[in-house]
Structure formats: C-alpha cells, structure tokens
Amino acid sequence: MTDRAFLVQLEGYGLTTAEICYFMPDHPSLLQIYAWQEYDAAPDFPVLFDFLAHWRREIGAEIRSVRIAHDKLIRPANWRSADGVISWD
C-alpha cells in the first residue's frame, strides 16, 4: 500500500497551510478564521486556489484575507562541516 502524501511529495509538492479569515454576510463585524492544510505546489498553489474557488461558489461566507505558509518536506540534505575531533580512548 502506498502513501498518497509521500507520493505527492516526491512529485515536488510541499505541505501548505492557509489561514483564511472570513465573515458571514449577516454578521460582518464577526471575523472568523479557518485553517486549511494540504499538499500543494508553490508558487502557483493549484490545490489551494481550487479550494478557494469552491469556497466562493458554495459557501456563503466572504473571504477577507488568506495567509499562506509552505514548506517542502522532502529536499536534499544539508551538510556542514563540524569543527572538532572525536577521539576514542
């Protein structure tokens, strides 16, 4: 059995988190926050923009702002030299 999350990461997708601030039209002074998280491809974010298009079509809430955080979890390892000597007595 293959893990979908692992396969999309191998295709270059990274973990994307979006903080969506919205309000309902009948309560415009009550700002609410929705946290969304999915694997997506930066900088175009096709999965996020599909979700936001669905939101605009199907949900009666108006989006005020969207903050995005993204990180590729699979990437080349970082290597750096360590100064010092390890000795075995």
Side-chain angles (χ1 to χ4, degrees), residues 7-42:
L7 292 176
V8 296
Q9 288 179 65
L10 290 177
E11 293 173 6
Y13 282 58
L15 188 61
T16 301
T17 304
E19 177 190 81
I20 303 168
C21 293
Y22 68 95
F23 62 89
M24 301 301 288
D26 53 343
H27 298 289
S29 62
L30 180 61
L31 192 62
Q32 299 182 62
I33 296 175
Y34 179 79
W36 176 90
Q37 194 170 56
E38 185 60 68
Y39 291 97
D40 207 350

Side-chain angles (χ1 to χ4, degrees), residues 19 33 37 48 51-52 55 59 64 67 77 81 84 88:
E19 177 190 81
I33 296 175
Q37 194 170 56
L48 173 60
F51 174 74
L52 293 174
W55 181 298
I59 299 174
R64 172 95 189 267
R67 284 193 331 171
S81 163
W88 301 95

Side-chain angles (χ1 to χ4, degrees), residues 30-89:
L30 180 61
L31 192 62
Q32 299 182 62
I33 296 175
Y34 179 79
W36 176 90
Q37 194 170 56
E38 185 60 68
Y39 291 97
D40 207 350
D44 297 329
F45 300 108
V47 179
L48 173 60
F49 285 116
D50 284 347
F51 174 74
L52 293 174
H54 166 78
W55 181 298
R56 288 185 185 104
R57 277 191 321 272
E58 305 295 330
I59 299 174
E62 294 191 37
I63 296 174
R64 172 95 189 267
S65 66
V66 178
R67 284 193 331 171
I68 302 169
H70 176 83
D71 191 23
K72 281 193 171 187
L73 302 176
I74 296 180
R75 58 182 163 246
N78 291 331
W79 184 89
R80 64 186 172 107
S81 163
D83 293 330
V85 176
I86 298 174
S87 61
W88 301 95
D89 292 335

